[in-house]
Amino acid sequence: MHQTISEFFQTTYGQSAEVVARAPGRIEFIGNHVDYNGGKVLGAAINRFVTVAVKSRSDRRLRFVSAQGGDIVEMDLDDLTPRSGKVSWVNYPVGMLHVLIRDGMKVEQGFDFAVTSDLPSGAGLSSSAAFELSTAQALVALYQYPLTLERMVLLAQKAENEFVGVPCGVLDQAVSGFGKQNHLVLIDCREPAFSTLPLPDGVHFWIFNTNLKHSLVDSLYATRHRECQVALRQVQTEFEEAAFLTDINAAQLQALAPGMRADHFSRAQHVIEEHARVEACEEILMGGGDLAEVGRLLFASHDSSRRLFGNSTPELDALVELLAAEPNVWGARLTGGGFGGAVMALTKVAFSEADAERLAAAYRHRLPAAPEPSIFHVTTGDGACRLL
Ligand code: GLA
């Protein structure tokens, strides 16, 4: 029988939880690798969550347990350092605690902590941001630390950047924090500023997880981040006032092509054109939503990630190609950092479980050596919140 977080906490620690909070995973709708380049991105929170429970202790110990297995991990409040190996999953809650303390949250006593999740990790659905945001919601309640959602989101990003060590932008944390049912979250990463855009009726999301992830995914992400920084420095030799790649347009970049290394140029071209696609999507959705046009932008986004940003894989490409041939699919693209992970498809209501199965069979036929993809039909959901 499925155990609730409260039952899991109770059986592990022999006491009831004091606070329970959860935060959703997210779909990156469009805006691939645009967030840390200062542009706008669109995401959707989904109805799959990381849920955490906490109870304060009378000493300065911390204990962490995960329903996904492994022993209880213990540490001391005075030794908040990143862990490696099998227990590195605790870096998300410990990192969150660390940045909250640095922000001014008073923590005199430790806590017992438990986590459950129905969000697959490594699927490009950002279980890490959901873990950070659910922890943040629980800890600010436990220690009665007043914090705006905006600040919470930025601190969660900081935990990921500085404690976990991934130079991610703010997309994942913002969507997990600001998600709203039947809406997309629009993030202007320059400010940053957060808002929501209603989705037209009858829109469905399907996730096809390749269950493959490049072993160097974090370092590849960091490499792309660095390449964008190098491209920006080159842009700044001509456009001094450009603070981000998204400050210039495609024609301005084109003029710089002769002096740029081809790969740096491609990365910048992807970012600038992708940002234009996000703005086009925003405009269409604000005007009621021509979904066929949105779908074309999604396919164009994938194509650009593949050709210019170099973060797709043959498996992701095969899924997108198969989805493009489906009459009930508006659009599809890789979602998240890339180098493996998942494809998301925006579909009509008529796209069915049988269609998804048929597609998976065609995928198996095309790539017989690839692992079986996992398929999820998800709906949009609300952002991080306290449950108890
Ligand atoms: C990951 C990062 C995000 C974003 C995407 C790519 O999900 O965590 O900040 O950069 O990749 O768009």
Side-chain angles (χ1 to χ4, degrees):
M1 199 188 81
H2 175 73
Q3 232 187 0
T4 66
I5 182 83
S6 301
E7 288 161 358
F8 177 52
F9 192 97
Q10 178 78 42
T11 45
T12 306
Y13 297 117
Q15 300 186 64
S16 307
E18 217 173 310
V19 177
V20 175
R22 75 172 190 195
R26 65 100 189 87
I27 293 169
E28 175 190 278
F29 188 76
I30 194 166
N32 197 228
H33 289 257
V34 169
D35 58 355
Y36 58 83
N37 287 301
K40 292 182 190 173
V41 293
L42 282 165
I46 60 173
N47 60 337
R48 284 176 171 254
F49 304 90
V50 172
T51 308
V52 306
V54 285
K55 177 175 173 53
S56 56
R57 298 171 56 90
S58 52
D59 56 14
R60 292 179 65 77
R61 297 295 289 167
L62 300 168
R63 293 196 292 177
F64 297 91
V65 69
S66 164
Q68 275 164 22
D71 296 332
I72 294 180
V73 183
E74 289 204 39
M75 66 182 77
D76 201 84
L77 257 184
D78 303 302
D79 178 29
L80 300 182
T81 47
R83 301 297 199 257
S84 54
K86 272 206 316 243
V87 298
S88 59
W89 62 270
V90 300
N91 291 340
Y92 298 103
V94 176
M96 202 60 238
L97 173 65
H98 185 70
V99 295
L100 284 166
I101 292 174
R102 272 195 0 223
D103 194 61
M105 186 169 89
K106 289 268 162 303
V107 178
E108 304 296 348
Q109 293 159 336
F111 53 76
D112 289 335
F113 181 104
V115 57
T116 63
S117 172
D118 65 355
L119 191 58
S121 62
L125 298 175
S126 205
S127 55
S128 53
F131 201 178
E132 288 149 3
L133 264 296
S134 53
T135 301
Q137 285 285 4
L139 295 185
V140 299
L142 191 73
Y143 293 106
Q144 297 177 12
Y145 185 57
L147 201 62
T148 62
L149 184 55
E150 175 164 350
R151 180 98 194 116
M152 189 182 286
V153 160
L154 295 176
L155 288 177
Q157 183 197 3
K158 203 179 167 101
E160 179 100 22
N161 291 165
E162 295 176 9
F163 203 88
V164 179
V166 179
C168 67
V170 74
L171 164 77
D172 306 343
Q173 290 78 12
V175 177
S176 185
F178 284 94
K180 188 170 166 193
Q181 211 174 10
N182 299 324
H183 285 71
L184 293 178
V185 180
L186 172 65
I187 308 143
D188 186 339
C189 303
R190 171 175 307 259
E191 311 285 347
F194 311 99
S195 56
T196 54
L197 270 182
L199 272 168
D201 288 341
V203 157
H204 282 231
F205 287 105
W206 288 78
I207 304 293
F208 295 81
N209 179 12
T210 60
N211 288 316
L212 274 174
K213 201 174 155 187
H214 200 292
S215 60
L216 297 176
V217 63
D218 287 350
S219 78
L220 285 166
Y221 184 91
T223 302
R224 289 294 177 274
H225 188 273
R226 214 168 31 247
E227 288 166 347
C228 290
Q229 293 304 112
V230 174
L232 173 63
R233 280 198 291 279
Q234 282 174 300
V235 164
Q236 286 167 333
T237 59
E238 272 306 306
F239 299 95
E240 266 174 47
E241 68 296 349
F244 293 104
L245 281 179
T246 47
D247 280 329
I248 64 164
N249 62 35
Q252 288 169 320
L253 178 72
Q254 195 60 50
L256 300 176
M260 288 177 80
R261 234 173 71 174
D263 54 345
H264 296 155
F265 178 81
S266 301
R267 308 304 181 233
Q269 187 186 358
H270 163 79
V271 167
I272 291 165
E273 292 177 358
E274 179 78 347
H275 186 228
R277 280 187 285 271
V278 176
E279 292 196 313
C281 250
E282 178 190 359
E283 205 167 306
I284 296 169
L285 290 168
M286 285 199 320
D290 173 352
L291 289 170
E293 189 49 33
V294 169
R296 277 192 283 278
L297 291 165
L298 298 179
F299 284 126
S301 164
H302 182 82
D303 195 50
S304 176
S305 298
R306 180 178 66 79
R307 282 185 307 107
L308 301 175
F309 212 70
N311 62 334
S312 188
T313 62
E315 293 79 15
L316 294 167
D317 294 342
L319 286 169
V320 170
E321 231 181 280
L322 291 166
L323 284 158
E326 290 289 321
N328 291 319
V329 171
W330 293 115
R333 57 180 291 277
L334 69 83
T335 184
F339 308 109
V343 160
M344 73 105 194
L346 180 75
T347 74
K348 303 177 189 173
V349 184
F351 188 84
S352 66
E353 199 71 47
D355 292 329
E357 289 304 333
R358 187 174 34 75
L359 199 132
Y363 174 78
R364 270 194 299 276
H365 183 71
R366 196 182 279 203
L367 297 174
E372 186 65 18
S374 313
I375 304 170
F376 313 98
H377 182 189
V378 297
T379 60
T380 54
D382 288 330
C385 67
R386 183 180 173 183
L387 297 176
L388 170 76

